Amino acid sequence: MLMWSRIRTQSASPLGKLGVEAALEAAADPSITPKPKIFDEFALTDRVGLVSGGNRGLGLEMALACCEAGARVVYCFDLPEKPSDEWIASRDYVAKLGNNSRLEYFSETVTDQQALWKKTEEIGDKEGRMDFCIAAAGILRSPIDCLEYPAEEYREVLDVNASGVLFTAQAAGRQMSRFGRGGSIILIASMSGSVTNRGHAWISYNTSKSAVLQMARSMACELGEKKIRVNSLSPGYMYTSMTKAYLDKQPHLLDVWSNMNPMGRLGRPNEVRGVVTWLASDASTFCTGSDIVVSGGLHSW
């Protein structure tokens, strides 16, 4: 009995009894009126988040989803001094949702560790908490033969796609640790971190995304005792502003990429909304150190 009591205490949901436990409680107490709790598990009510690469593309899509889930505020940052038209439209959209959520924007580079730490500390001072982080900033360069890849470009890609992810996760994780509530850190990797882009010389991109997968596992092991969960999310070929610019130069790749998965098409940015909300919320409280692949089944072949 003592062991069972300890297990129940360790694993208790912050939302109280759920599922079968809730049904048994209601059966024992007829005064209880059952109500659905599954959507409460996915809610991000009053939570504070940080999203790198949040000016457009996947980063903005995921930030908006978190606002729809009830986050108090999601701070997006990116390189441009002023946010894009897409970001402004999304901010205005969030303001009209009527759930007291808001989007904020600031300009910063993911490669400046100290500046990012300082800015996130200021956010912590203002909001009094930090609950989730989505490290989505990344760059893509034209493919170059691995034997000819220039050092400067290789370092640039790794600096943004690997080091920048770490610095973003550190910035948010430091605040999560400071407030002692735990949190969820989501590192945006890629299916390119676990498979090779066939026919494309993307050694810097593949290497950086592989580093992110290992980074998530390593950080999950270190931060678990602080109740900070760290997972990676690996999208397949998605049609974003970044890939659009790439496909505009090499349109033949559209059919190549589309036929590389059983779905026979590219993914939409909004097809990661549910997964990222799940990872940020209490619906995934026992998930850490995992890589969630959203690739249209590319890994199945």
Side-chain angles (χ1 to χ4, degrees):
M1 289 296 294
L2 287 176
M3 181 178 294
W4 178 238
S5 176
R6 180 183 176 192
I7 292 172
R8 288 171 63 88
T9 300
Q10 285 180 334
S11 304
S13 166
L15 296 173
K17 289 183 171 59
L18 301 170
V20 174
E21 278 194 335
L24 291 173
E25 182 183 46
D29 184 354
S31 68
I32 295 176
T33 301
K35 68 170 187 176
K37 290 187 177 181
I38 186 66
F39 297 111
D40 294 338
E41 293 180 68
F42 282 86
L44 297 175
T45 307
D46 200 39
R47 300 191 186 185
V48 175
L50 177 71
V51 179
S52 69
N55 187 43
R56 56 176 57 192
L58 290 178
L60 178 57
E61 193 72 60
M62 293 184 285
L64 178 54
C66 292
C67 287
E68 290 186 38
R72 177 200 303 175
V73 57
V74 180
Y75 285 86
C76 301
F77 73 96
D78 217 320
L79 279 176
E81 183 178 345
K82 295 182 179 180
S84 65
D85 291 341
E86 296 101 306
W87 189 92
I88 292 173
S90 298
R91 178 202 61 191
D92 295 346
Y93 181 82
V94 167
K96 296 174 182 177
L97 291 176
N99 65 353
N100 296 316
S101 186
R102 70 184 197 274
L103 277 179
E104 300 281 354
Y105 181 85
F106 65 93
S107 175
E108 191 58 78
T109 173
V110 293
T111 59
D112 191 334
Q113 183 190 53
Q114 294 302 315
L116 193 51
W117 286 12
K118 183 176 185 298
K119 178 62 181 180
T120 309
E121 184 176 7
E122 292 171 359
I123 292 172
D125 291 341
K126 179 180 178 180
E127 304 294 345
R129 62 190 299 161
M130 178 62 67
D131 301 286
F132 62 90
C133 167
I134 304 171
I139 58 174
L140 179 65
R141 294 290 182 256
S142 298
I144 302 173
D145 187 292
C146 64
L147 300 181
E148 305 296 332
Y149 211 101
E152 183 177 351
E153 186 166 316
Y154 183 80
R155 293 190 186 103
E156 178 191 18
V157 173
L158 265 67
D159 202 23
V160 174
N161 291 3
S163 299
V165 168
L166 173 63
F167 300 160
T168 302
Q170 287 176 324
R174 286 163 63 90
Q175 298 309 303
M176 293 174 185
S177 178
R178 169 189 175 189
F179 294 116
R181 293 190 182 94
S184 175
I185 297 174
I186 306 161
L187 310 184
I188 305 305
S190 169
M191 57 93 183
S192 300
S194 53
V195 300
T196 302
N197 300 81
R198 289 177 294 171
H200 310 297
W202 282 1
I203 188 170
S204 61
Y205 190 78
N206 292 338
T207 301
S208 65
K209 293 305 182 180
S210 295
V212 171
L213 298 183
Q214 185 58 46
M215 188 187 302
R217 291 191 287 265
S218 180
M219 294 188 76
C221 292
E222 287 195 49
L223 298 178
E225 64 184 19
K226 296 178 181 288
K227 297 182 180 180
I228 299 174
R229 298 181 293 111
V230 188
N231 294 285
S232 56
L233 171 57
S234 291
Y237 289 115
M238 296 275 174
Y239 189 70
T240 66
S241 54
M242 184 168 70
T243 55
K244 179 181 181 299
Y246 191 84
L247 288 171
D248 284 346
K249 298 177 181 178
Q250 302 185 72
H252 68 282
L253 288 179
L254 175 58
D255 288 336
V256 174
W257 289 359
S258 297
N259 291 322
M260 287 180 69
N261 67 67
M263 302 292 290
R265 64 175 176 85
L266 301 189
R268 303 188 308 270
N270 57 33
E271 289 181 301
V272 300
R273 285 162 49 90
V275 177
V276 81
T277 303
W278 171 68
L279 285 172
S281 73
D282 289 339
S284 62
T285 46
F286 201 50
C287 181
T288 193
S290 296
D291 180 46
I292 311 301
V293 180
V294 184
S295 68
L298 184 145
H299 283 66
S300 301
W301 280 354

